[in-house]
Amino acid sequence: MKTWLNGLVSTLLLGACALAHATGYALPDLDGRPQSLDQYRGKWLIVNYWATWCGTCRKELPDLVSLHEKHRDGDIVVVGINFEDIGRQELKDFVATQDIPYPVLRSKPVRSTPLGPVPALPTTYIVNPAGKVVAGEIGLVTQQNLEDYIASQRGK
């Protein structure tokens, strides 16, 4: 039953990806300034929806940090979208304590985003350099999974 349900959720997420684009999607950063995902056009963009209370989100942080650090001058960018109702200073303190070097934006939880649905946390979307959402994953992601997927899609 659980495998079937995971397959159904993944199918729904991938179906939403087929129509989704990052174009025009903007959220406030930790200082309250709007930041558009358009600024990352031309790069592979990993968008990770997460929350401070989410254990799985915390577990995948080292992989996302490592991915960001490895590719910071290359063509892969990680952006975290905090998906909870939390004070800005509390979130800033969490980001500083966890040494998260990539951009973190803020969003109140909503059922659907311009990238697709966020049915559970963490949810991660991969946006290609043209700004099209090409993949999504509910649950834990690893640096290796993300790099392998992007490598398989380069040049397509």
Side-chain angles (χ1 to χ4, degrees):
M1 175 72 168
K2 185 176 180 184
T3 302
W4 175 83
L5 184 58
N6 286 344
L8 176 62
V9 171
S10 294
T11 301
L12 293 173
L13 196 61
L14 290 174
C17 288
L19 305 173
H21 284 79
T23 307
Y25 188 23
L27 291 167
D29 64 16
L30 295 179
D31 294 318
R33 293 184 307 253
Q35 299 291 326
S36 174
L37 295 185
D38 291 341
Q39 68 186 301
Y40 303 110
R41 190 159 262 208
K43 296 180 180 269
W44 288 92
L45 178 61
I46 309 302
V47 180
N48 178 255
Y49 291 90
W50 64 282
T52 58
W53 51 261
C54 170
T56 305
C57 302
R58 287 178 182 230
K59 186 174 181 179
E60 72 183 0
L61 268 177
D63 277 87
L64 294 171
V65 167
S66 180
L67 179 70
H68 173 77
E69 291 294 324
K70 180 178 176 183
H71 298 280
R72 87 170 338 150
D73 296 323
D75 67 344
I76 300 174
V77 176
V78 177
V79 173
I81 299 181
N82 180 261
F83 210 61
E84 64 186 311
D85 192 7
I86 185 175
R88 187 167 58 187
Q89 189 58 51
E90 185 180 354
L91 179 56
K92 284 175 102 169
D93 292 346
F94 180 87
V95 168
T97 301
Q98 298 296 315
D99 292 323
I100 299 173
Y102 51 82
V104 173
L105 308 179
R106 301 178 67 206
S107 175
K108 295 208 185 289
V110 292
R111 299 290 273 154
S112 187
T113 74
L115 302 183
V118 181
L121 294 177
T123 293
T124 303
Y125 284 100
I126 300 176
V127 180
N128 71 13
K132 183 176 187 282
V133 177
V134 293
E137 180 70 25
I138 301 165
L140 184 79
V141 294
T142 67
Q143 178 179 352
Q144 191 65 55
N145 294 139
L146 296 167
E147 287 176 334
D148 288 349
Y149 180 82
I150 290 170
S152 76
Q153 298 300 303
R154 289 186 195 273
K156 282 191 175 183

